[in-house]
Structure formats: structure tokens, C-alpha cells
Amino acid sequence: MSSMEERMELGVAAAPGSSSSGLGVGPVGGALDAGPGSAGLAGIQEESGVRRDGSVGEADPDAPPKKRVRLQEGEAGKLEERLYSVLCCTVCLDLPKASVYQCTNGHLMCAGCFIHLLADSRLKEEQATCPNCRCEISKSLCCRNLAVEKAVSELPSECSYCLKQFPRSGLDRHQTEECQDRVTQCKYKRIGCPWQGPFHELSAHEAECCHPSKTGMELMGILDEMDQSHRRELQLYNSIFSLLCFEKIGFTEVQFRPYRTDDFITRLYYETPRFTVLNQTWVLKARVNDSERNPNLSCKRTLAFQLILKSKVNSALECSFLLLKGPYEDVKIKPVIQHHVFSNDANETEYAPLPICDSVECNKLLAAKNINLRLFIFQIQK
């Protein structure tokens, strides 16, 4: 017999009000007197279903639990860390920074990886598949997941400067406008000051900066070096404005379509249907990484194009031309003017690089079904 049962029997056998055992127990069904051990006994009664009035019954299932058992932080992990693993991209395993796409089975891909998968499949002449479930993916089969995009934007992210936590939706503004540790430049940068440092040190540096006290000759040398890039840009735009003054100007929308060579190892190339500009018939061709054997194994992607005159001409045709992005395209292309004298013997230009900004923009073009650009041709009159 346990010690608790012995104490209960002694308490019942004793006279009412007796405190020899430390517990005063009245008649059966009566209330328990408060004694030194009454608090512990009351807790035992509540857990076993014995009410304070002495009646016995089941515990109320709707009553809230008195105490919840919490998992250790090491076992449960933080909520943010668990969400990272749920909402991350299945390809790069990082949280998406912009659009989020999902396959037909719901697996998530960030916009960069999604476009890269489509571009790789075009280079390999294969159907793009989800890296998780191997279902087919394309721009028509996959859709954006707006709920995940909003959830990711509210997750905390660490500022790369001050290391504090902020919602991802407001992190860019904090890092560019509000953070006191963000990297900034001296206001005398335009006269050659190379200083870069945290924003909270900017005022102290500018008060001691030596560039305002430099001589005019020193400043002129610095400014000449800085203005070289601006001169090149100005020269480009002046050349374009001069071309727009020509008498014969033609432009058209061109659509590059993907094809494969007949070689043992097929290579991807692009070609447009024949089109007419300035009463002549033309064709544009393009190739990836200068016809590299396996461009899908390279991280750097480039496109080069060639303009071909298909018509027969009686005399040499001197032209300037340039390619720009087509309507409703989001690819970034810098204008570069090309020049060539076309004849029946020299009806093809050399391959010139398509002036896209980087490999990311090239992947956007490769991932599309067709590449839509706008071609301008300016005929130079003799």
C-alpha cells in the first residue's frame, strides 16, 4: 500500500477536525479542509477527475490545458527557418527575389532558374522538365504563385550592412536609403574623390576631403578621364540622329526562329523568314556562343547575328543598320551601329555580337519560343 493511500485511510479513521496526519478529511463526500498538503492533493484530484466538492467525474474536454508542453528550440527550429525550406526554389535552394513559378505539381522555381531551365532545354533540343518530379514545364504550362511571392516578401531577411532583420519587401529601401552602415560615396566623386565608406562616416569625410582644395590643372586631368565614357555615349546618339536624317530609311519587326544544323552534333541557330526593307529581300541569322560545341555547359551566354542580302543588286549597296528590342519585349539591348557595303559577291556581313547586357538577358531570349527584335536599315546615298 502506498504512503498516499495510508494517509487517506488514517485521515478517514480520525475524528473530524483531527490534524494528526496534516490532512483534515470530513465525512465521505464532504469538503477537504485546507492543510499543508492540500494544494498538492487538489492538483492530483484535478488530474484524476476528482472535483473539489468530492464528486468524481471525467475532466472537461473543452477546458483549456493548464500547461502546454513546448519543444526545445533545437528540436522545433525557428518558424522562419522552416519556412525557408518550404518556400525556397527547388533548383538553387534559395528564397526567390522576384517572381515565383510552379510546375503542374506545385514545385516552386524562382524566375532566374525557371528561365535558365527553359534556355538549357532549347540548347539541348529537349523538353524542359521540373527538377523534382520531371513533369514538363514551359511558359504555358507553369504559372506564377502569388501567395508564395507575398509570403516570401514578409519573411525576415538580414541587411548586408548592419546585419539587422527586416521584411524582405522593405529590405531594398532600407539598404539604399535608411541604413546608416550602407556603402556610400563622397559628394566630390565628380572631381575624382575615390572614397567609399559607411553612411554614418560620410559627413566627417566630406569635412576633411582634400579634393575641393586641388588646383584647377589637377581637376582638369581627373575630369577628362571621367568624361571619356560620356563622350562615347554622346557620339553614339549623335550618329543615330545623323542616320535618321537619311533619305532612305527602313525598319521592320523580325522574328528569329530556332533551328538545328545537320551536323553529327547538332547545334542551335536562329533564322528569320525573308523580309523586305528598302525594296530588297533580307534574312537575319543568329548563333549561340559563336557555335560553341556545348553552349549548355557554359555559364556565359552570348548571341551573334548576321545580316544577309538575298536580292541581286546592280550596284553596291552601302548601308548602316542596328537591332533594337521589339515591342513588348523586356530584354535590355544597347544600340550599336553596324556598317557594310552589300554586293552580289559580298552579300553577308560578319557575325556581330548582339549587344545584350549580360547572360541573364541572353537566357531570356533563349527561353522564349521566338526572339522578336526590330531592325533599322539606313541606305547611304553616294
Side-chain angles (χ1 to χ4, degrees), residues 33-164:
D33 294 336
S38 60
L41 181 59
I44 296 174
Q45 287 176 324
E46 288 181 1
E47 292 180 359
S48 60
V50 181
R51 299 190 181 97
R52 290 185 178 273
D53 59 0
S55 59
V56 179
E58 295 182 356
D60 186 4
D62 297 329
K66 297 295 181 183
K67 189 174 183 180
R68 296 180 182 272
V69 179
R70 294 185 179 180
L71 295 175
Q72 296 294 328
E73 185 175 346
E75 298 175 0
K78 292 183 179 180
L79 175 62
E80 292 85 355
E81 295 176 356
R82 299 200 302 273
L83 286 177
Y84 286 165
S85 62
V86 173
L87 302 177
C88 69
C89 169
T90 58
V91 182
C92 63
L93 303 180
D94 196 5
L95 283 179
K97 294 181 175 61
S99 304
V100 181
Y101 292 87
Q102 67 176 25
C103 72
T104 53
N105 291 326
H107 297 121
L108 305 175
M109 293 165 281
C110 64
C113 291
F114 177 64
I115 294 299
H116 203 283
L117 287 173
L118 297 182
D120 281 352
S121 66
R122 178 60 55 82
L123 293 173
K124 298 177 184 178
E125 198 179 10
E126 297 175 354
Q127 173 62 48
T129 58
C130 170
N132 264 24
C133 61
R134 299 303 176 187
C135 70
E136 294 184 0
I137 59 173
S138 66
K139 287 190 174 181
S140 58
L141 293 175
C142 298
C143 63
R144 288 177 60 183
N145 193 319
L146 299 181
V148 171
E149 291 179 15
K150 292 179 180 178
V152 169
S153 68
E154 296 302 322
L155 286 175
S157 184
E158 190 176 80
C159 174
S160 57
Y161 303 121
C162 64
L163 305 181
K164 295 180 181 178

Side-chain angles (χ1 to χ4, degrees), residues 14-284:
S18 172
S19 59
S20 60
S21 64
L23 289 172
V25 182
V28 177
L32 295 172
D33 294 336
S38 60
L41 181 59
I44 296 174
Q45 287 176 324
E46 288 181 1
E47 292 180 359
S48 60
V50 181
R51 299 190 181 97
R52 290 185 178 273
D53 59 0
S55 59
V56 179
E58 295 182 356
D60 186 4
D62 297 329
K66 297 295 181 183
K67 189 174 183 180
R68 296 180 182 272
V69 179
R70 294 185 179 180
L71 295 175
Q72 296 294 328
E73 185 175 346
E75 298 175 0
K78 292 183 179 180
L79 175 62
E80 292 85 355
E81 295 176 356
R82 299 200 302 273
L83 286 177
Y84 286 165
S85 62
V86 173
L87 302 177
C88 69
C89 169
T90 58
V91 182
C92 63
L93 303 180
D94 196 5
L95 283 179
K97 294 181 175 61
S99 304
V100 181
Y101 292 87
Q102 67 176 25
C103 72
T104 53
N105 291 326
H107 297 121
L108 305 175
M109 293 165 281
C110 64
C113 291
F114 177 64
I115 294 299
H116 203 283
L117 287 173
L118 297 182
D120 281 352
S121 66
R122 178 60 55 82
L123 293 173
K124 298 177 184 178
E125 198 179 10
E126 297 175 354
Q127 173 62 48
T129 58
C130 170
N132 264 24
C133 61
R134 299 303 176 187
C135 70
E136 294 184 0
I137 59 173
S138 66
K139 287 190 174 181
S140 58
L141 293 175
C142 298
C143 63
R144 288 177 60 183
N145 193 319
L146 299 181
V148 171
E149 291 179 15
K150 292 179 180 178
V152 169
S153 68
E154 296 302 322
L155 286 175
S157 184
E158 190 176 80
C159 174
S160 57
Y161 303 121
C162 64
L163 305 181
K164 295 180 181 178
Q165 297 283 334
F166 295 92
R168 294 171 69 90
S169 57
L171 184 62
D172 288 341
R173 179 180 177 183
H174 167 77
Q175 292 187 150
T176 55
E177 301 177 10
E178 301 171 355
C179 183
Q180 294 297 308
D181 293 330
R182 68 184 185 273
V183 177
T184 187
Q185 295 178 322
C186 177
K187 68 180 180 181
Y188 300 113
K189 172 191 173 185
R190 292 184 58 83
I191 57 174
C193 179
W195 183 86
Q196 287 185 344
F199 179 78
H200 65 266
E201 297 179 3
L202 177 62
S203 57
H205 164 77
E206 290 178 348
E208 300 174 356
C209 184
C210 62
H211 280 74
S213 60
K214 285 183 178 293
T215 64
M217 291 299 296
E218 292 174 332
L219 293 178
M220 286 298 295
I222 296 172
L223 291 176
D224 285 342
E225 294 177 2
M226 296 176 61
D227 286 343
Q228 286 182 1
S229 60
H230 298 291
R231 291 195 191 100
R232 287 193 292 268
E233 293 181 1
L234 184 61
Q235 183 180 4
L236 171 63
Y237 288 111
N238 286 336
S239 300
I240 293 176
F241 290 141
S242 298
L243 292 175
L244 292 175
C245 298
F246 283 12
E247 179 183 357
K248 293 186 177 181
I249 301 174
F251 74 93
T252 185
E253 316 298 332
V254 293
Q255 185 179 78
F256 288 88
R257 298 175 181 174
Y259 295 93
R260 290 279 167 179
T261 62
D262 296 331
D263 304 335
F264 176 72
I265 299 177
T266 62
R267 291 180 174 86
L268 174 70
Y269 73 96
Y270 287 84
E271 186 173 335
T272 66
R274 294 193 177 194
F275 56 89
T276 302
V277 176
L278 299 177
N279 298 323
Q280 305 292 338
T281 304
W282 310 82
V283 166
L284 276 168

